[in-house]
């Protein structure tokens, strides 16, 4: 069996860390592409020199040329700029959609059968733009949201209870923004609802912390945003797709009527396999959960309406 080919566009913090984990787990050969000359080449050579120590045989290469990404099975897109002081949300969207357009066109030209996993923020609107630019079927475009937000919530629940992270499951749906919807009713420790294990006020504080978790890291780092958990969550999704595992992972998937949402991407529990976002699972939401989800959908829809194609 030949190896899978995975391209990571953007060899920055998230991209390079994802490349490291993809290679360590031998999920395929990895190509890192960046607009800056030397950076993807340098980071990939550095990773190849770690291979003998860690014992992985995945090949990691760096490039500035989309030709080298030809025939990719999966492409992770992290290229973009973070929001800078004084920059409006609309400015950020315009800049990052411009970057995404060139990236997606370059990728799809050489890998027309690929699956795109978008990481660039603001996430849900970037996934929509990438889908439009790509011309790919909607199942082959998705974005990192609930895998990351859920991982953060799992970490906080495990910290609170002093139990293994392995036994903690958590569900976060909606947009990858402050309006995300952490679902305490669907978060469990070895099947036990967390609502039975953590007092309501503590649980509410944990849910609130989850919503602001990205900002908490930015506040600490000051000069950048999170990358270990984002890249780990990317690799969890990549593994589900590349190994056709049919894992159920909430991510920004195209809704065609599910949850009453039509024609846009938003975080919902999704079966991930070799065809991409293969199926959306519809879970029951109570009135408060539904209202929160709809507010999140409305926020993303508002941003999509600002897009100019
Ligand atoms: N083509 C290719 N690469 C590009 C382009 C482009 N047109 N424009 C920018 N890049 C590259 C940059 O050169 C940089 O190496 O994208 C990389 C981004 O890396 P970082 O600035 O380190 O950002 P990172 O922390 O990795 O975050 C990337 O993920 O979580 C989101 O909000 C975050 O949107 C951001 C993205």
């Amino acid at each position: 069996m030949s190896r899978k080919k995975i391209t990571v566009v953007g060899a920055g913090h998230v991209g390079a860390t994802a490349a490291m984990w993809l290679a360590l787990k031998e999920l395929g050969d990895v190509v890192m592409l960046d607009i800056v000359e030397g950076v993807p080449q340098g980071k990939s050579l550095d990773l190849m020199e770690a291979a003998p120590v860690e014992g992985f045989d995945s090949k990691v290469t760096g490039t500035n040329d989309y030709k080298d990404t030809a025939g990719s099975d999966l492409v992770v897109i992290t290229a973009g700029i973070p929001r800078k002081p004084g920059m409006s949300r609309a400015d950020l969207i315009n800049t990052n959609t411009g970057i995404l357009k060139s990236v997606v066109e370059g990728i799809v030209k050489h890998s027309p059968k690929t699956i795109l996993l978008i990481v660039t923020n603001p996430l849900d609107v970037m996934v929509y733009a990438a889908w439009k630019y790509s011309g790919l079927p909607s199942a082959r475009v998705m974005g990192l949201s609930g895998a990351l937000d859920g991982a953060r919530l799992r970490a906080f629940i495990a910290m609170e209870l002093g139990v293994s992270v392995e036994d903690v499951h958590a569900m976060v749906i909606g947009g990858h923004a402050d309006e995300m919807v952490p679902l305490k009713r669907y978060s469990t420790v070895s099947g036990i609802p967390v609502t039975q294990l953590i007092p309501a006020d503590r649980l509410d504080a944990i849910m609130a912390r989850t919503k602001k978790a990205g900002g908490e890291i930015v506040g600490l780092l000051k000069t950048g945003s999170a990358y270990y958990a984002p890249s780990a969550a990317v690799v969890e999704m990549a593994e589900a797709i590349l190994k056709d595992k049919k894992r159920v992972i909430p991510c920004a998937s195209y809704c065609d009527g599910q949850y009453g949402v039509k024609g846009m991407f938003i975080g919902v529990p999704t079966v991930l396999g070799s065809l991409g976002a293969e199926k959306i699972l519809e879970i029951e939401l109570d009135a408060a959960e539904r209202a929160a989800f709809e507010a999140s959908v409305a926020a993303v829809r508002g941003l999509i309406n600002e897009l100019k194609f």
Side-chain angles (χ1 to χ4, degrees):
M1 209 174 87
S2 64
R3 290 194 199 147
K4 299 284 187 186
K5 180 167 178 177
I6 311 155
T7 289
V8 179
V9 183
H13 288 97
V14 178
T17 315
M20 180 182 76
W21 272 328
L22 290 165
L24 259 179
K25 293 187 175 217
E26 294 188 318
L27 292 177
D29 289 337
V30 181
V31 177
M32 266 197 276
L33 181 144
D34 202 282
I35 199 163
V36 180
E37 279 175 33
V39 168
Q41 290 87 347
K43 290 191 180 181
S44 57
L45 180 59
D46 196 4
L47 275 172
M48 287 308 289
E49 292 165 1
V53 182
E54 287 296 331
F56 59 84
D57 286 307
S58 290
K59 298 277 172 286
V60 188
T61 48
T63 185
N64 310 107
D65 186 342
Y66 283 92
K67 277 198 204 98
D68 298 323
T69 70
S72 295
D73 297 286
L74 176 69
V75 177
V76 177
I77 300 180
T78 75
I81 60 148
R83 187 155 155 182
K84 297 185 179 133
M87 196 177 193
S88 74
R89 198 180 53 188
D91 289 342
L92 178 70
I93 289 177
N94 285 336
T95 305
N96 280 352
T97 46
I99 291 173
L100 223 58
K101 185 172 194 292
S102 66
V103 169
V104 167
E105 287 173 356
I107 287 295
V108 172
K109 183 173 172 206
H110 297 284
S111 301
K113 294 190 176 145
T114 196
I115 290 173
L116 300 180
L117 170 44
I118 311 300
V119 182
T120 308
N121 278 318
L123 193 274
D124 305 81
V125 62
M126 290 300 133
V127 182
Y128 183 87
W131 171 59
K132 283 282 182 190
Y133 296 138
S134 72
L136 292 175
S138 55
R140 286 205 264 134
V141 184
M142 71 204 70
L144 171 74
S145 53
L148 169 59
D149 304 320
R152 288 171 165 158
L153 177 50
R154 288 171 67 191
F156 298 150
I157 291 169
M159 287 174 200
E160 178 76 11
L161 292 171
V163 300
S164 168
V165 288
E166 283 190 57
D167 294 322
V168 181
H169 289 271
M171 178 67 73
V172 181
I173 62 171
H176 184 55
D178 290 354
E179 303 86 12
M180 71 177 72
V181 187
L183 295 173
K184 50 190 167 192
R185 290 197 307 135
Y186 291 106
S187 299
T188 62
V189 178
S190 263
I192 309 162
V194 288
T195 46
Q196 292 181 24
L197 299 172
I198 302 175
D201 59 330
R202 283 297 309 155
L203 203 46
D204 286 344
I206 289 171
M207 298 295 154
R209 186 179 182 190
T210 302
K211 290 186 182 190
K212 303 266 182 207
E216 186 178 354
I217 304 276
V218 171
L220 291 165
L221 296 181
K222 294 183 183 70
T223 56
S225 52
Y227 52 101
Y228 291 118
S231 55
V234 160
V235 174
E236 180 182 46
M237 291 175 69
E239 182 169 23
I241 293 164
L242 295 164
K243 293 188 176 171
D244 193 27
K245 284 176 75 80
K246 319 287 189 198
R247 291 221 32 215
V248 178
I249 299 179
C251 57
S253 299
Y254 185 83
C255 290
D256 189 20
Q258 295 94 337
Y259 293 93
V261 179
K262 208 163 167 59
M264 62 177 261
F265 294 77
I266 191 94
V268 285
T270 306
V271 178
L272 293 182
S274 60
L275 302 178
E278 296 189 350
K279 190 177 176 201
I280 291 171
L281 301 186
E282 287 194 77
I283 55 176
E284 246 175 60
L285 300 178
D286 65 22
E289 292 160 352
R290 175 150 291 280
F293 180 74
E294 280 169 9
S296 189
V297 169
V300 174
R301 179 102 50 205
L303 295 181
I304 288 174
N305 289 340
E306 287 175 28
L307 284 180
K308 296 174 199 78
F309 287 102

PDB file of all heavy atoms in Angstrom, residues 9-15 33-36 66 78-80 82 96 99 102-103 119-121 225-226, ligand 1:
ATOM      1  N   VAL A   9      -0.620  23.686   4.298  1.00  0.00           N
ATOM      2  CA  VAL A   9      -0.330  25.016   3.756  1.00  0.00           C
ATOM      3  C   VAL A   9      -0.251  25.998   4.923  1.00  0.00           C
ATOM      4  O   VAL A   9      -1.189  26.111   5.720  1.00  0.00           O
ATOM      5  CB  VAL A   9      -1.402  25.466   2.749  1.00  0.00           C
ATOM      6  CG1 VAL A   9      -1.022  26.819   2.151  1.00  0.00           C
ATOM      7  CG2 VAL A   9      -1.583  24.433   1.660  1.00  0.00           C
ATOM      8  N   GLY A  10       0.870  26.700   4.979  1.00  0.00           N
ATOM      9  CA  GLY A  10       1.175  27.570   6.118  1.00  0.00           C
ATOM     10  C   GLY A  10       2.088  26.790   7.048  1.00  0.00           C
ATOM     11  O   GLY A  10       1.652  25.864   7.727  1.00  0.00           O
ATOM     12  N   ALA A  11       3.361  27.133   7.020  1.00  0.00           N
ATOM     13  CA  ALA A  11       4.336  26.429   7.867  1.00  0.00           C
ATOM     14  C   ALA A  11       4.628  27.244   9.119  1.00  0.00           C
ATOM     15  O   ALA A  11       5.759  27.328   9.586  1.00  0.00           O
ATOM     16  CB  ALA A  11       5.621  26.159   7.085  1.00  0.00           C
ATOM     17  N   GLY A  12       3.570  27.854   9.659  1.00  0.00           N
ATOM     18  CA  GLY A  12       3.707  28.635  10.887  1.00  0.00           C
ATOM     19  C   GLY A  12       3.539  27.746  12.103  1.00  0.00           C
ATOM     20  O   GLY A  12       3.840  26.554  12.065  1.00  0.00           O
ATOM     21  N   HIS A  13       3.024  28.342  13.178  1.00  0.00           N
ATOM     22  CA  HIS A  13       2.914  27.590  14.432  1.00  0.00           C
ATOM     23  C   HIS A  13       2.013  26.377  14.308  1.00  0.00           C
ATOM     24  O   HIS A  13       2.391  25.269  14.671  1.00  0.00           O
ATOM     25  CB  HIS A  13       2.402  28.519  15.539  1.00  0.00           C
ATOM     26  CG  HIS A  13       3.430  29.509  15.983  1.00  0.00           C
ATOM     27  ND1 HIS A  13       3.479  30.782  15.495  1.00  0.00           N
ATOM     28  CD2 HIS A  13       4.444  29.374  16.860  1.00  0.00           C
ATOM     29  CE1 HIS A  13       4.504  31.411  16.054  1.00  0.00           C
ATOM     30  NE2 HIS A  13       5.100  30.587  16.887  1.00  0.00           N
ATOM     31  N   VAL A  14       0.792  26.589  13.823  1.00  0.00           N
ATOM     32  CA  VAL A  14      -0.154  25.469  13.741  1.00  0.00           C
ATOM     33  C   VAL A  14       0.300  24.479  12.664  1.00  0.00           C
ATOM     34  O   VAL A  14       0.321  23.259  12.886  1.00  0.00           O
ATOM     35  CB  VAL A  14      -1.586  25.963  13.432  1.00  0.00           C
ATOM     36  CG1 VAL A  14      -2.541  24.781  13.304  1.00  0.00           C
ATOM     37  CG2 VAL A  14      -2.077  26.914  14.529  1.00  0.00           C
ATOM     38  N   GLY A  15       0.681  24.999  11.509  1.00  0.00           N
ATOM     39  CA  GLY A  15       1.037  24.127  10.384  1.00  0.00           C
ATOM     40  C   GLY A  15       2.236  23.243  10.683  1.00  0.00           C
ATOM     41  O   GLY A  15       2.207  22.023  10.455  1.00  0.00           O
ATOM     42  N   LEU A  33       3.855  23.727   2.677  1.00  0.00           N
ATOM     43  CA  LEU A  33       3.982  24.808   1.696  1.00  0.00           C
ATOM     44  C   LEU A  33       3.742  26.142   2.403  1.00  0.00           C
ATOM     45  O   LEU A  33       2.830  26.257   3.215  1.00  0.00           O
ATOM     46  CB  LEU A  33       2.960  24.633   0.566  1.00  0.00           C
ATOM     47  CG  LEU A  33       3.007  25.694  -0.541  1.00  0.00           C
ATOM     48  CD1 LEU A  33       2.693  25.072  -1.905  1.00  0.00           C
ATOM     49  CD2 LEU A  33       2.077  26.874  -0.279  1.00  0.00           C
ATOM     50  N   ASP A  34       4.580  27.098   2.095  1.00  0.00           N
ATOM     51  CA  ASP A  34       4.401  28.444   2.662  1.00  0.00           C
ATOM     52  C   ASP A  34       4.782  29.460   1.602  1.00  0.00           C
ATOM     53  O   ASP A  34       5.523  29.155   0.657  1.00  0.00           O
ATOM     54  CB  ASP A  34       5.264  28.631   3.916  1.00  0.00           C
ATOM     55  CG  ASP A  34       4.741  29.735   4.828  1.00  0.00           C
ATOM     56  OD1 ASP A  34       4.968  30.929   4.514  1.00  0.00           O
ATOM     57  OD2 ASP A  34       4.100  29.420   5.851  1.00  0.00           O
ATOM     58  N   ILE A  35       4.300  30.669   1.771  1.00  0.00           N
ATOM     59  CA  ILE A  35       4.640  31.739   0.830  1.00  0.00           C
ATOM     60  C   ILE A  35       6.067  32.246   1.080  1.00  0.00           C
ATOM     61  O   ILE A  35       6.722  32.776   0.192  1.00  0.00           O
ATOM     62  CB  ILE A  35       3.592  32.877   0.923  1.00  0.00           C
ATOM     63  CG1 ILE A  35       3.629  33.753  -0.303  1.00  0.00           C
ATOM     64  CG2 ILE A  35       3.745  33.689   2.209  1.00  0.00           C
ATOM     65  CD1 ILE A  35       2.388  34.611  -0.479  1.00  0.00           C
ATOM     66  N   VAL A  36       6.554  32.071   2.308  1.00  0.00           N
ATOM     67  CA  VAL A  36       7.894  32.551   2.659  1.00  0.00           C
ATOM     68  C   VAL A  36       8.932  31.516   2.216  1.00  0.00           C
ATOM     69  O   VAL A  36       8.834  30.338   2.569  1.00  0.00           O
ATOM     70  CB  VAL A  36       8.014  32.781   4.182  1.00  0.00           C
ATOM     71  CG1 VAL A  36       9.414  33.273   4.541  1.00  0.00           C
ATOM     72  CG2 VAL A  36       6.959  33.768   4.661  1.00  0.00           C
ATOM     73  N   TYR A  66       3.155  25.034  -5.700  1.00  0.00           N
ATOM     74  CA  TYR A  66       1.986  24.142  -5.606  1.00  0.00           C
ATOM     75  C   TYR A  66       2.147  22.852  -6.403  1.00  0.00           C
ATOM     76  O   TYR A  66       1.482  21.864  -6.105  1.00  0.00           O
ATOM     77  CB  TYR A  66       0.721  24.890  -6.033  1.00  0.00           C
ATOM     78  CG  TYR A  66       0.244  25.821  -4.942  1.00  0.00           C
ATOM     79  CD1 TYR A  66       0.655  27.148  -4.900  1.00  0.00           C
ATOM     80  CD2 TYR A  66      -0.568  25.358  -3.917  1.00  0.00           C
ATOM     81  CE1 TYR A  66       0.256  27.992  -3.876  1.00  0.00           C
ATOM     82  CE2 TYR A  66      -0.972  26.190  -2.882  1.00  0.00           C
ATOM     83  CZ  TYR A  66      -0.557  27.505  -2.871  1.00  0.00           C
ATOM     84  OH  TYR A  66      -0.947  28.322  -1.845  1.00  0.00           O
ATOM     85  N   THR A  78      -3.677  26.309   6.914  1.00  0.00           N
ATOM     86  CA  THR A  78      -3.505  27.183   8.086  1.00  0.00           C
ATOM     87  C   THR A  78      -3.036  28.566   7.658  1.00  0.00           C
ATOM     88  O   THR A  78      -2.793  29.413   8.512  1.00  0.00           O
ATOM     89  CB  THR A  78      -2.472  26.611   9.094  1.00  0.00           C
ATOM     90  OG1 THR A  78      -1.154  26.802   8.558  1.00  0.00           O
ATOM     91  CG2 THR A  78      -2.682  25.133   9.368  1.00  0.00           C
ATOM     92  N   ALA A  79      -2.865  28.779   6.358  1.00  0.00           N
ATOM     93  CA  ALA A  79      -2.321  30.066   5.883  1.00  0.00           C
ATOM     94  C   ALA A  79      -3.282  31.190   6.217  1.00  0.00           C
ATOM     95  O   ALA A  79      -4.482  31.076   6.042  1.00  0.00           O
ATOM     96  CB  ALA A  79      -2.086  30.004   4.382  1.00  0.00           C
ATOM     97  N   GLY A  80      -2.732  32.256   6.681  1.00  0.00           N
ATOM     98  CA  GLY A  80      -3.555  33.422   6.979  1.00  0.00           C
ATOM     99  C   GLY A  80      -2.788  34.331   7.898  1.00  0.00           C
ATOM    100  O   GLY A  80      -1.665  34.025   8.308  1.00  0.00           O
ATOM    101  N   PRO A  82      -3.121  36.638  11.554  1.00  0.00           N
ATOM    102  CA  PRO A  82      -3.976  36.836  12.723  1.00  0.00           C
ATOM    103  C   PRO A  82      -4.493  38.273  12.740  1.00  0.00           C
ATOM    104  O   PRO A  82      -3.960  39.144  12.050  1.00  0.00           O
ATOM    105  CB  PRO A  82      -3.016  36.594  13.893  1.00  0.00           C
ATOM    106  CG  PRO A  82      -1.655  36.865  13.351  1.00  0.00           C
ATOM    107  CD  PRO A  82      -1.697  36.665  11.858  1.00  0.00           C
ATOM    108  N   ASN A  96      -7.852  37.435   4.762  1.00  0.00           N
ATOM    109  CA  ASN A  96      -7.718  35.973   4.798  1.00  0.00           C
ATOM    110  C   ASN A  96      -8.489  35.272   3.676  1.00  0.00           C
ATOM    111  O   ASN A  96      -8.051  34.221   3.205  1.00  0.00           O
ATOM    112  CB  ASN A  96      -8.099  35.434   6.179  1.00  0.00           C
ATOM    113  CG  ASN A  96      -6.957  35.601   7.176  1.00  0.00           C
ATOM    114  OD1 ASN A  96      -5.847  35.976   6.790  1.00  0.00           O
ATOM    115  ND2 ASN A  96      -7.209  35.326   8.433  1.00  0.00           N
ATOM    116  N   ILE A  99      -6.095  35.423   0.789  1.00  0.00           N
ATOM    117  CA  ILE A  99      -5.054  34.393   0.921  1.00  0.00           C
ATOM    118  C   ILE A  99      -5.641  33.024   0.564  1.00  0.00           C
ATOM    119  O   ILE A  99      -5.070  32.259  -0.218  1.00  0.00           O
ATOM    120  CB  ILE A  99      -4.473  34.392   2.353  1.00  0.00           C
ATOM    121  CG1 ILE A  99      -3.665  35.676   2.590  1.00  0.00           C
ATOM    122  CG2 ILE A  99      -3.613  33.147   2.604  1.00  0.00           C
ATOM    123  CD1 ILE A  99      -3.187  35.875   4.029  1.00  0.00           C
ATOM    124  N   SER A 102      -6.124  32.260  -3.255  1.00  0.00           N
ATOM    125  CA  SER A 102      -4.932  31.844  -4.000  1.00  0.00           C
ATOM    126  C   SER A 102      -4.494  30.448  -3.577  1.00  0.00           C
ATOM    127  O   SER A 102      -4.079  29.630  -4.402  1.00  0.00           O
ATOM    128  CB  SER A 102      -3.798  32.861  -3.833  1.00  0.00           C
ATOM    129  OG  SER A 102      -3.357  32.880  -2.491  1.00  0.00           O
ATOM    130  N   VAL A 103      -4.596  30.161  -2.285  1.00  0.00           N
ATOM    131  CA  VAL A 103      -4.167  28.845  -1.791  1.00  0.00           C
ATOM    132  C   VAL A 103      -5.064  27.740  -2.363  1.00  0.00           C
ATOM    133  O   VAL A 103      -4.574  26.740  -2.906  1.00  0.00           O
ATOM    134  CB  VAL A 103      -4.199  28.806  -0.240  1.00  0.00           C
ATOM    135  CG1 VAL A 103      -4.023  27.379   0.264  1.00  0.00           C
ATOM    136  CG2 VAL A 103      -3.128  29.725   0.350  1.00  0.00           C
ATOM    137  N   VAL A 119      -8.251  25.601   8.720  1.00  0.00           N
ATOM    138  CA  VAL A 119      -7.927  25.984  10.097  1.00  0.00           C
ATOM    139  C   VAL A 119      -7.934  27.514  10.253  1.00  0.00           C
ATOM    140  O   VAL A 119      -8.117  28.051  11.340  1.00  0.00           O
ATOM    141  CB  VAL A 119      -6.545  25.417  10.506  1.00  0.00           C
ATOM    142  CG1 VAL A 119      -6.208  25.752  11.947  1.00  0.00           C
ATOM    143  CG2 VAL A 119      -6.510  23.900  10.304  1.00  0.00           C
ATOM    144  N   THR A 120      -7.741  28.214   9.140  1.00  0.00           N
ATOM    145  CA  THR A 120      -7.642  29.679   9.168  1.00  0.00           C
ATOM    146  C   THR A 120      -8.911  30.309   9.758  1.00  0.00           C
ATOM    147  O   THR A 120     -10.020  29.919   9.412  1.00  0.00           O
ATOM    148  CB  THR A 120      -7.441  30.204   7.723  1.00  0.00           C
ATOM    149  OG1 THR A 120      -6.343  29.499   7.134  1.00  0.00           O
ATOM    150  CG2 THR A 120      -7.169  31.694   7.712  1.00  0.00           C
ATOM    151  N   ASN A 121      -8.721  31.283  10.607  1.00  0.00           N
ATOM    152  CA  ASN A 121      -9.841  32.002  11.223  1.00  0.00           C
ATOM    153  C   ASN A 121     -10.162  33.297  10.482  1.00  0.00           C
ATOM    154  O   ASN A 121      -9.297  33.806   9.783  1.00  0.00           O
ATOM    155  CB  ASN A 121      -9.484  32.334  12.683  1.00  0.00           C
ATOM    156  CG  ASN A 121      -9.738  31.135  13.582  1.00  0.00           C
ATOM    157  OD1 ASN A 121     -10.743  30.437  13.454  1.00  0.00           O
ATOM    158  ND2 ASN A 121      -8.809  30.881  14.496  1.00  0.00           N
ATOM    159  N   SER A 225      -1.196  33.021  18.873  1.00  0.00           N
ATOM    160  CA  SER A 225      -2.343  32.265  19.376  1.00  0.00           C
ATOM    161  C   SER A 225      -1.962  30.802  19.550  1.00  0.00           C
ATOM    162  O   SER A 225      -0.847  30.388  19.204  1.00  0.00           O
ATOM    163  CB  SER A 225      -3.545  32.457  18.445  1.00  0.00           C
ATOM    164  OG  SER A 225      -3.194  32.184  17.121  1.00  0.00           O
ATOM    165  N   ALA A 226      -2.912  30.043  20.081  1.00  0.00           N
ATOM    166  CA  ALA A 226      -2.646  28.644  20.441  1.00  0.00           C
ATOM    167  C   ALA A 226      -2.220  27.824  19.232  1.00  0.00           C
ATOM    168  O   ALA A 226      -2.654  28.104  18.107  1.00  0.00           O
ATOM    169  CB  ALA A 226      -3.914  28.047  21.033  1.00  0.00           C
TER     170      ALA A 226
HETATM  171  N1  LIG B   1       0.321  31.177   1.071  1.00  0.00           N
HETATM  172  C1  LIG B   1       0.961  30.312   1.879  1.00  0.00           C
HETATM  173  N2  LIG B   1       1.258  30.568   3.161  1.00  0.00           N
HETATM  174  C2  LIG B   1       0.899  31.763   3.642  1.00  0.00           C
HETATM  175  C3  LIG B   1       0.213  32.724   2.873  1.00  0.00           C
HETATM  176  C4  LIG B   1      -0.075  32.388   1.523  1.00  0.00           C
HETATM  177  N3  LIG B   1      -0.710  33.221   0.708  1.00  0.00           N
HETATM  178  N4  LIG B   1      -0.011  33.802   3.648  1.00  0.00           N
HETATM  179  C5  LIG B   1       0.492  33.544   4.860  1.00  0.00           C
HETATM  180  N5  LIG B   1       1.043  32.300   4.864  1.00  0.00           N
HETATM  181  C6  LIG B   1       1.739  31.630   5.948  1.00  0.00           C
HETATM  182  C7  LIG B   1       2.653  32.536   6.742  1.00  0.00           C
HETATM  183  O1  LIG B   1       3.865  32.771   6.052  1.00  0.00           O
HETATM  184  C8  LIG B   1       2.844  31.752   8.048  1.00  0.00           C
HETATM  185  O2  LIG B   1       3.983  30.907   7.972  1.00  0.00           O
HETATM  186  O3  LIG B   1       0.820  31.151   6.915  1.00  0.00           O
HETATM  187  C9  LIG B   1       1.570  30.913   8.129  1.00  0.00           C
HETATM  188  C10 LIG B   1       0.699  31.260   9.308  1.00  0.00           C
HETATM  189  O4  LIG B   1       1.397  30.910  10.457  1.00  0.00           O
HETATM  190  P1  LIG B   1       1.352  31.744  11.831  1.00  0.00           P
HETATM  191  O5  LIG B   1       1.388  33.188  11.530  1.00  0.00           O
HETATM  192  O6  LIG B   1       2.351  31.133  12.739  1.00  0.00           O
HETATM  193  O7  LIG B   1      -0.125  31.473  12.355  1.00  0.00           O
HETATM  194  P2  LIG B   1      -0.652  30.192  13.188  1.00  0.00           P
HETATM  195  O8  LIG B   1      -0.522  30.472  14.643  1.00  0.00           O
HETATM  196  O9  LIG B   1      -0.063  28.957  12.627  1.00  0.00           O
HETATM  197  O10 LIG B   1      -2.216  30.264  12.839  1.00  0.00           O
HETATM  198  C11 LIG B   1      -2.659  30.006  11.526  1.00  0.00           C
HETATM  199  O11 LIG B   1      -4.748  29.109  12.249  1.00  0.00           O
HETATM  200  O12 LIG B   1      -5.650  28.951  14.340  1.00  0.00           O
HETATM  201  C12 LIG B   1      -5.648  29.668  13.151  1.00  0.00           C
HETATM  202  O13 LIG B   1      -6.250  31.908  13.800  1.00  0.00           O
HETATM  203  C13 LIG B   1      -5.210  31.100  13.355  1.00  0.00           C
HETATM  204  O14 LIG B   1      -5.827  31.832  11.168  1.00  0.00           O
HETATM  205  C14 LIG B   1      -4.734  31.455  11.983  1.00  0.00           C
HETATM  206  C15 LIG B   1      -4.178  30.125  11.452  1.00  0.00           C
END
